[in-house]
Amino acid sequence: MLPFHRVAADDFAAVNQQIIDQLHSDVPLVENIGHYLVEAGGKRLRPLLVLLCARAASYQGSDHITLAAIIEFIHTATLLHDDVVDTSDMRRGRITANAQWGNAPAVLVGDFLYSRAFQMMVALKDMDIMAILSDTTNTIAEGEVQQLVNAGDPAVTEANYLSVIHKKTGALFEAACETAAVLAGCNAEQRESLKLYGRHLGSAFQLVDDALDYRGNSEELGKNVGDDLAEGKPTLPLIYTMANGTDDQAALVREAIEKKSADKLTEIVAAIEACGALDYTLDRASKEVELALEKLEFLPEGEYKTALRQLAEFSIQRTV
């Protein structure tokens, strides 16, 4: 358990129990897939952000437990759908649900998790939270479609890429933080600050993920290195290489994106490294973390604020 997890250990245990309780269904397949996903673990950063932000903003109630579980259900639903769209067979070092049970069950259980999240949301009886999360799920879906359209297109710009990662990743990070601020009764300025902390943190995480896809280790990452290339995803390391590499390096990357092929992965990794694309991507991530940390200034000093700082720093220090 990482330091920023330990601070919220009791709350985290309560969230895990609520997740298990809310997975109950009269249809055994729903519970089987749901529990399989829960047991896969992961860092559970999005629900953790709810817990840390709420406590850092001096929240004393218990609804942050339900809110954290809602955020995790939304995230898990998007992963189920993502893996079907991307035809992925490995996540977090385990076989994906779609590879284990098939595409149809994975999609439908994803729908169950979305709808269960909204049932739990209604139980909170907070229209601000419902508005934020309904807008967020719409934004995530839009990002998924935008990424699908971008696949196989080497003309995607850095600005377009950044828009996609905000919608696909940053949006739920910022929603976790902003809804926690709403729950804690923060004023408009404080609420906006925590929202932006989440947005910058989410962007940093995705930038590092996209760099690790070309510098990481498959066993450590829990997925295949080069998966993005095989799906034709024009992520920042590839976009930078096409813009700043040699003509041969740019042509190599362009062809791989168009063909959605990782056949020349070794040569492409060498080109990405040679032109400084990974360093550029990681530098962008570091800048996002700096922006995120600035947004925490209004919070009172204490273990929860420290944990939020540690989480931001971890986002760019990690290898998985």
Side-chain angles (χ1 to χ4, degrees), residues 106-127:
V107 169
L108 294 173
V109 172
D111 292 343
F112 170 87
L113 293 175
Y114 263 131
S115 57
R116 179 52 51 89
F118 275 84
Q119 287 178 321
M120 295 163 68
M121 219 182 291
V122 170
L124 288 179
K125 296 182 172 65
D126 190 307
M127 286 301 295

Side-chain angles (χ1 to χ4, degrees), residues 72-82 106 109-111 113-114:
E72 182 64 6
F73 273 15
I74 291 171
H75 176 55
T76 305
T78 66
L79 296 186
L80 278 167
H81 292 166
D82 269 2
V109 172
D111 292 343
L113 293 175
Y114 263 131

Side-chain angles (χ1 to χ4, degrees), residues 23-286:
L23 280 172
H24 173 72
S25 169
D26 295 332
V27 181
L29 184 59
V30 171
E31 289 196 355
N32 290 343
I33 295 178
H35 283 283
Y36 181 80
L37 294 168
V38 170
E39 289 160 10
K43 292 178 278 291
R44 299 256 177 93
L45 297 178
R46 293 152 188 85
L48 178 63
L49 281 170
V50 174
L51 304 177
L52 294 179
C53 286
R55 292 301 198 195
S58 304
Y59 179 67
Q60 298 299 317
S62 60
D63 282 347
H64 65 314
I65 304 299
T66 299
L67 180 56
I70 290 167
I71 293 290
E72 182 64 6
F73 273 15
I74 291 171
H75 176 55
T76 305
T78 66
L79 296 186
L80 278 167
H81 292 166
D82 269 2
D83 287 342
V84 170
V85 171
D86 296 339
T87 62
S88 300
D89 58 9
M90 188 191 296
R91 182 181 287 278
R92 295 171 180 165
R94 303 179 73 189
I95 295 172
T96 56
N98 51 297
Q100 181 96 337
W101 284 278
N103 286 342
V107 169
L108 294 173
V109 172
D111 292 343
F112 170 87
L113 293 175
Y114 263 131
S115 57
R116 179 52 51 89
F118 275 84
Q119 287 178 321
M120 295 163 68
M121 219 182 291
V122 170
L124 288 179
K125 296 182 172 65
D126 190 307
M127 286 301 295
D128 277 354
I129 288 175
M130 289 184 68
I132 292 164
L133 292 179
S134 58
D135 285 347
T136 298
T137 53
N138 189 258
T139 296
I140 293 169
E142 193 175 55
E144 292 289 353
V145 175
Q146 192 174 341
Q147 179 173 266
L148 191 63
V149 170
N150 288 352
D153 181 6
V156 169
T157 64
E158 183 171 329
N160 186 296
Y161 160 81
L162 292 172
S163 171
V164 169
I165 69 169
H166 166 248
K167 290 174 180 176
K168 282 189 82 277
T169 306
L172 194 55
F173 273 76
E174 71 177 43
C177 297
E178 185 182 9
T179 52
V182 171
L183 209 56
C186 290
N187 62 37
E189 186 178 350
Q190 294 168 338
R191 176 171 155 177
E192 183 67 11
S193 289
L194 282 180
K195 174 183 177 179
L196 290 174
Y197 166 82
R199 175 181 298 186
H200 293 303
L201 180 63
S203 293
F205 260 91
Q206 191 58 57
L207 285 161
V208 172
D209 271 356
D210 290 344
L212 288 174
D213 202 59
Y214 297 101
R215 188 178 275 176
N217 174 284
S218 290
E219 191 172 325
E220 290 179 352
L221 290 174
K223 66 171 188 173
N224 298 316
V225 170
D227 270 356
D228 286 351
L229 191 63
E231 293 159 17
K233 291 180 182 175
T235 56
L236 190 54
L238 300 179
I239 293 168
Y240 185 90
T241 302
M242 287 186 287
N244 297 278
T246 65
D247 289 346
D248 287 345
Q249 289 169 340
L252 180 69
V253 171
R254 258 195 310 271
E255 181 185 28
I257 292 173
E258 287 171 345
K259 291 183 176 180
K260 299 182 180 180
S261 170
D263 290 346
K264 297 180 180 177
L265 178 62
T266 302
E267 298 98 306
I268 288 170
V269 169
I272 288 170
E273 289 279 12
C275 76
L278 293 186
D279 290 337
Y280 175 77
T281 301
L282 294 172
D283 184 59
R284 285 297 305 259
S286 294

